[in-house]
């Protein structure tokens, strides 16, 4: 079955106001930026988003935040998004903060048909006991707080221990980004861009994948498939320009210094020619050995 659609706009056209969307990515790595832009253009509002975080100001889910399209977020942290924090504290956005591993398992459970599960994470805290602020009013008062959750004691190798019940997450739509995909929806993610994408794909009733490299069925080794096509309903092929447009959340460099000792010289923050964003070491020399042009190209 060919699941390729002609454009991102067509792929998200039926995501209406009030929908719940599960969005892959971690920070800015592996986010379905093209689908998010297309969703922004539809005008859909009052959305609930399930994602590890909300991107950064004016990029990724941050675009939907700035446009006031999100009503509620289920996330593990606020991240580097000042607008996310502002809307939450001003009472404009409801936020259900969830431990990161628990969030991942809630999404995986939703895609596996598991209604709920018990975990030790959060026992003895407001995660289990309730009272976490979900929504404030404009004066900083808590208007909606998390309810207490069911707990139960189980026998373990360490003796009786208390666990808390966490419910699965099932979203109306899943939005993900893959490095490679075929027309049947089988997906392969690249390195750290894998992150929450397989989970978002699993828990969406309708999952839409934007792929950097579209291949024909059979070209992907079955052992290399991360998300089987059974979880994916629509595939959007990105242009080379769209595939290459990857932002860096926080670029960190060291102050340039120069120091010379007998037989060794260091220029800049690393060996001469070393850069981050496709790390390169050039001309690194030790007595009797030389490394020249060693290059690693990472996926952001």
């Amino acid at each position: 079955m060919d699941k390729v659609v002609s454009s991102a706009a067509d792929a998200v056209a039926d995501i209406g106001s009030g929908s719940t969307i599960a969005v892959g990515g971690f920070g800015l790595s592996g986010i379905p930026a093209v689908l998010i832009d297309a969703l922004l253009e539809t005008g859909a509002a009052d959305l609930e988003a399930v994602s590890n975080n909300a991107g950064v100001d004016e990029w990724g889910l941050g675009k939907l935040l700035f446009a006031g399209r999100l009503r509620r977020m289920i996330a593990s942290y606020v991240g580097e998004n000042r607008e996310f924090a502002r809307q939450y504290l001003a009472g404009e956005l409801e936020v259900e903060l969830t431990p990161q591993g628990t969030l991942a398992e809630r999404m995986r459970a939703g895609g596996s048909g598991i209604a709920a599960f018990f975990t030790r994470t959060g026992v003895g805290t407001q995660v289990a006991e309730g009272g976490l602020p979900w929504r404030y009013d404009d004066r900083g008062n808590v208007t909606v707080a998390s309810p207490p959750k069911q707990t139960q004691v189980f026998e373990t190798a360490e003796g009786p221990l208390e666990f808390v019940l966490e419910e699965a997450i099932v979203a109306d739509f899943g939005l993900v980004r893959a490095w490679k995909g075929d027309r049947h929806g089988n997906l392969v993610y690249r390195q750290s861009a894998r992150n929450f994408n397989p989970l978002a794909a699993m828990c969406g009733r309708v999952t839409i994948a934007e792929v950097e490299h579209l291949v024909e069925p059979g070209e992907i080794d079955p052992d290399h498939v991360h998300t089987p096509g059974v979880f994916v309903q629509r595939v959007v092929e990105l242009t080379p320009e769209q595939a290459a447009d990857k932002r860096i959340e926080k670029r960190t460099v060291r102050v340039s210094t120069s120091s010379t000792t007998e037989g060794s010289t260091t220029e800049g923050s690393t060996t001469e020619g070393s850069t981050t964003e496709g790390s390169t070491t050039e001309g690194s020399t030790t007595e009797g050995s030389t490394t020249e042009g060693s290059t690693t190209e990472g996926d952001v």
Side-chain angles (χ1 to χ4, degrees), residues 85-106:
R86 188 200 67 76
Q87 288 189 22
Y88 175 43
L89 295 175
E92 299 171 15
L93 178 70
E94 186 172 309
V95 178
E96 181 181 343
L97 290 174
T98 303
Q100 193 169 81
T102 300
L103 176 62
E105 184 61 11
R106 289 179 68 189

Side-chain angles (χ1 to χ4, degrees), residues 57 70-71 81 102 153 160 175 185 190 240 245:
D57 295 328
L70 298 185
R71 171 186 59 85
N81 196 316
T102 300
V153 175
L175 307 181
R190 181 171 168 80
D245 188 11

Side-chain angles (χ1 to χ4, degrees), residues 113-176:
I114 299 170
F117 59 91
F118 281 96
T119 177
R120 284 280 295 155
T121 304
V123 170
T125 73
Q126 287 181 303
V127 170
E129 297 167 1
L132 283 173
W134 279 3
R135 181 182 286 276
Y136 294 94
D137 62 19
D138 58 4
R139 294 182 299 278
N141 301 309
V142 177
T143 59
V144 181
S146 64
K149 297 175 181 176
Q150 177 184 334
T151 60
Q152 187 168 331
V153 175
F154 291 92
E155 286 294 335
T156 74
E158 300 172 358
L161 292 175
E162 187 177 14
F163 290 72
V164 59
L165 185 69
E166 293 283 358
E167 295 185 0
I169 293 173
V170 178
D172 299 315
F173 296 89
L175 307 181
V176 302

Side-chain angles (χ1 to χ4, degrees), residues 174-196:
L175 307 181
V176 302
R177 177 157 185 161
W179 171 63
K180 184 186 291 185
D182 66 20
R183 293 181 177 275
H184 290 174
N186 297 301
L187 306 178
V188 179
Y189 310 102
R190 181 171 168 80
Q191 298 178 354
S192 62
R194 185 173 175 179
N195 52 64
F196 273 74

Side-chain angles (χ1 to χ4, degrees), residues 60-94:
L61 280 175
K63 289 188 174 183
L64 293 175
L65 273 172
F66 263 85
R69 303 291 179 80
L70 298 185
R71 171 186 59 85
R72 192 173 193 272
M73 278 286 304
I74 301 178
S76 72
Y77 76 115
V78 174
E80 303 296 323
N81 196 316
R82 294 183 184 88
E83 181 63 11
F84 187 176
R86 188 200 67 76
Q87 288 189 22
Y88 175 43
L89 295 175
E92 299 171 15
L93 178 70
E94 186 172 309

